[in-house]
Amino acid sequence: MSVGRGIVVFSGGSAANNLVDVFEKVRESKSCLLNYVIPISDNGGSTSELIRMFGGPGIGDVRSRLVRLIPTDPPSSERSAIAHLFNHRLPSTSSKEAHVEWYTIVDGTSSLWTNIPAAKKELIRSFLNTVNLEILKRARPPISTFDFTSASVGNLFLTGARLFSGSFESAIYLLGSICGIPDDIVRVIPAINSNFSHHISAGLANGDTIVGQNNISHPSEATALDALSPGTKNRAKRLSLEEGEAEDATLPGSLPTLKRQNIKFSKDHEEDLPARIERIWYINPYGQEIRPPVNLRVVEAIQNSQAIIYSIGSLYTSLIPSIVLRGVGQALKSSPAKHKVLILNGSLDREVGPSAHPFTAVNFVEAIARAAEESQGHQWDGASSLGERMKAVGEVQQRLTVSTDHVMTPVSSQLKQYVTYVIYLEGEGSPKVDRQQLLDHGIESVRLYGRKIEADGPEGQLVMKGMKYDSQALIGALETILGKKGDAVVGTKSRRNTLEN
């Protein structure tokens, strides 16, 4: 059993999966429980088809983290086969081919079952057959059938387990048990514990609104900015079923962008945003803002934590959807955790643009603080202009100077309630960091040297896309901040393992 207060990691799916081994090493050094808080607002890819047919939460990131946590030491052909099965996706090019392969998995003849013991195989198959039966029951051919294209076997299993048990967290527990994840050491906690779908919207600085997580992070169409247009031209169409349209799990009158089938998108091309994202909020199927409560297990984890870590990942679709939930902000503010660490992304993406005016480190911190304040129902006062305001109140600053080297103001104190350290990489394509500006907020910063991320440009040339963390350097930085010196800090000759603070 682990002892001591735990570590809470806010993250999304794929990006933070690259740091799972880092967090595990830090957990081992602190001999404590590790809690991952994962949002359930995803509505893209094959997840959109599950939501359309069954409703329910976006489960892809939860499944991805659970499978990533399958122990790999000592090596095991059984665990490797289970990871391969639950990570497997059906063919993406042909719906017919995907359907055929699905039935080889359900009937137990697929080669994916190799090295999985018979008892475990039949347990898994029972829940895959549960979801398959529900798919057949809900199909209304030729108007509405389930599209298996690119479907994740793990997502289908979680859906079957949720439908059978009536509990999302029971389904997570079952998958974690099958994967051999020790629940007394590491836990995956959905930000919202619900059998219903929860969608988000983003408000831009120019007044535009983007509906749905997929459209925020990587839209599948030219624009998603008119989804909540105030005009009435298409109002009647939006609030009624189309002629001949089959019913599914979405409510009549739901926003069209939340009803689309098997949303396809590309991560290789990102349409630039016309203005910065200012805030994220949850919506009901009709587009009205709602304030759902956080899973109480998240609050419990935060209240029993020694450290909070905001992992790498998409700021507004991986981190903020969990932080803005009712109950999170107060829990973060009152947490006994001394250290609240933001691991800054090594590259910039669509969500922290536009590219001509990208987010800096302090903008990332402000986004977290704003979400935490709005979680508590507080109006955000716009701390981004702090630099100018600090110059205007220089005399007040002098009176607020304390015996340490820090100058504290009401706004900087507000930011430091949620972030105390920023770990970052310096290089082309990574967010700019003004260390003095962070320090003016009372926030320490730690710079690491990482590896360059290069990709083919439009004409075949190599283009810098950002920086990638070196695992040993990051472990050393986190252990140093949390109270234990690591081997990958100052003193090593390796340039990428150098830590500066």
Side-chain angles (χ1 to χ4, degrees):
M1 284 289 290
S2 56
V3 296
R5 294 202 305 269
I7 297 172
V8 175
V9 177
F10 285 92
S11 79
S14 55
N17 278 342
N18 296 315
L19 300 186
V20 162
D21 292 337
V22 169
F23 297 136
E24 173 56 21
K25 288 295 184 182
V26 175
R27 186 208 65 76
E28 287 179 358
S29 73
K30 304 298 288 184
S31 186
C32 67
L33 179 65
L34 178 60
N35 296 286
Y36 288 102
V37 179
I38 310 289
I40 61 162
S41 51
D42 184 22
N43 72 323
S46 62
T47 294
S48 63
E49 185 68 347
L50 288 171
I51 292 175
R52 182 188 70 84
M53 181 66 73
F54 301 108
I59 58 178
D61 288 346
V62 171
R63 182 268 312 162
S64 174
R65 182 59 40 80
L66 286 168
V67 178
R68 178 62 181 83
L69 288 169
I70 293 176
T72 57
D73 188 23
S76 165
S77 59
E78 176 187 330
R79 288 196 295 265
S80 178
I82 289 173
H84 186 50
L85 173 68
F86 286 134
N87 272 334
H88 182 73
R89 288 190 178 274
L90 302 178
S92 60
T93 55
S94 167
S95 178
K96 182 177 180 180
E97 290 179 7
H99 205 167
V100 169
E101 183 177 349
W102 165 246
Y103 276 106
T104 67
I105 296 171
V106 170
D107 66 20
T109 60
S110 170
S111 61
L112 289 168
W113 294 111
T114 303
N115 292 324
I116 298 178
K120 193 167 288 188
K121 171 184 175 180
E122 298 312 318
L123 177 62
I124 297 170
R125 282 188 61 231
S126 67
F127 290 101
L128 295 180
N129 274 291
T130 295
V131 73
N132 187 61
L133 177 60
E134 290 296 327
I135 287 171
L136 294 174
K137 286 166 57 179
R138 300 175 192 222
R140 296 294 181 269
I143 298 174
S144 176
T145 57
F146 189 83
D147 183 359
F148 285 96
T149 305
S150 297
S152 160
V153 174
N155 290 358
L156 287 162
F157 172 85
L158 265 181
T159 300
R162 180 181 67 82
L163 293 173
F164 176 83
S165 66
S167 167
F168 183 30
E169 288 203 322
S170 293
I172 293 173
Y173 176 78
L174 177 62
L175 181 55
S177 299
I178 291 173
C179 290
I181 301 170
D183 189 63
D184 60 334
I185 291 177
V186 58
R187 295 172 185 171
V188 176
I189 308 174
I192 301 174
N193 181 24
S194 174
N195 280 317
F196 295 95
S197 301
H198 285 75
H199 296 286
I200 57 174
S201 283
L204 306 189
N206 65 356
D208 286 337
T209 298
I210 307 178
V211 176
Q213 176 169 313
N214 186 76
N215 284 330
I216 295 169
S217 55
H218 28 249
S220 53
E221 54 189 14
T223 180
L225 300 179
D226 59 353
L228 282 178
S229 58
T232 59
K233 181 177 180 180
N234 295 321
R235 184 70 175 173
K237 179 179 179 181
R238 190 180 300 135
L239 295 179
S240 63
L241 284 170
E242 298 289 345
E243 183 178 353
E245 181 180 356
E247 291 186 346
D248 50 31
T250 56
L251 295 174
S254 297
L255 293 174
T257 191
L258 303 180
K259 299 176 63 176
R260 290 162 54 203
Q261 184 174 13
N262 213 338
I263 299 173
K264 303 293 194 300
F265 60 87
S266 172
K267 294 185 178 182
D268 297 329
H269 174 70
E270 292 185 342
E271 173 193 347
D272 216 7
L273 289 172
R276 282 186 169 191
I277 296 176
E278 284 195 333
R279 63 183 294 255
I280 292 288
W281 63 91
Y282 281 83
I283 58 172
N284 64 19
Y286 312 112
Q288 298 165 317
E289 181 171 356
I290 58 174
R291 295 185 63 232
V294 69
N295 185 345
L296 292 179
R297 291 180 63 209
V298 174
V299 174
E300 180 183 356
I302 294 173
Q303 291 176 341
N304 291 281
S305 65
Q306 60 178 291
I308 307 293
I309 298 176
Y310 307 101
S311 179
I312 60 171
S314 299
L315 175 64
Y316 282 107
T317 55
S318 293
L319 298 182
I320 301 303
S322 295
I323 299 170
V324 77
L325 291 167
R326 184 156 43 92
V328 175
Q330 183 58 43
L332 289 171
K333 184 183 293 186
S334 60
S335 169
K338 182 179 179 181
H339 304 296
K340 299 168 185 176
V341 184
L342 168 62
I343 304 176
L344 199 63
N345 291 338
S347 58
L348 297 163
D349 60 22
R350 160 185 165 89
E351 297 180 19
V352 292
S355 55
H357 184 44
F359 273 38
T360 63
V362 76
N363 297 138
F364 278 78
V365 176
E366 289 167 357
I368 291 171
R370 174 173 185 160
E373 286 292 304
E374 292 184 350
S375 160
Q376 302 166 74
H378 299 162
Q379 185 70 33
W380 178 248
D381 64 359
S384 59
S385 59
L386 178 64
E388 288 73 15
R389 295 206 303 274
M390 289 178 69
K391 293 178 182 178
V393 293
E395 294 182 2
V396 177
Q397 283 185 348
Q398 294 297 323
R399 293 196 297 270
L400 292 175
T401 301
V402 294
S403 58
T404 67
D405 294 330
H406 304 316
V407 176
M408 302 299 292
T409 68
V411 175
S412 66
S413 176
Q414 185 181 44
L415 296 186
K416 193 178 179 181
Q417 291 179 100
Y418 307 110
V419 178
T420 61
Y421 274 87
V422 172
I423 298 176
Y424 69 98
L425 295 168
E426 190 169 71
E428 185 178 348
S430 59
K432 301 301 180 184
V433 178
D434 185 329
R435 302 181 71 177
Q436 185 57 51
Q437 187 180 26
L438 289 171
L439 196 60
D440 289 340
H441 287 276
I443 300 170
E444 302 283 350
S445 57
V446 177
R447 180 177 64 181
L448 300 180
Y449 291 99
R451 302 184 178 115
K452 295 179 181 179
I453 301 175
E454 296 179 330
D456 292 333
E459 299 179 1
Q461 78 281 20
L462 287 178
V463 177
M464 273 284 291
K465 292 293 187 179
M467 304 291 292
K468 181 179 181 180
Y469 283 98
D470 176 80
S471 296
Q472 292 303 314
L474 186 54
I475 291 170
L478 288 169
E479 288 184 342
T480 299
I481 292 172
L482 271 56
K484 176 179 178 178
K485 291 183 179 179
D487 296 326
V489 296
V490 174
T492 178
K493 294 182 180 179
S494 173
R495 178 174 163 79
R496 70 169 179 257
N497 286 344
T498 301
L499 177 151
E500 296 181 8
N501 59 15

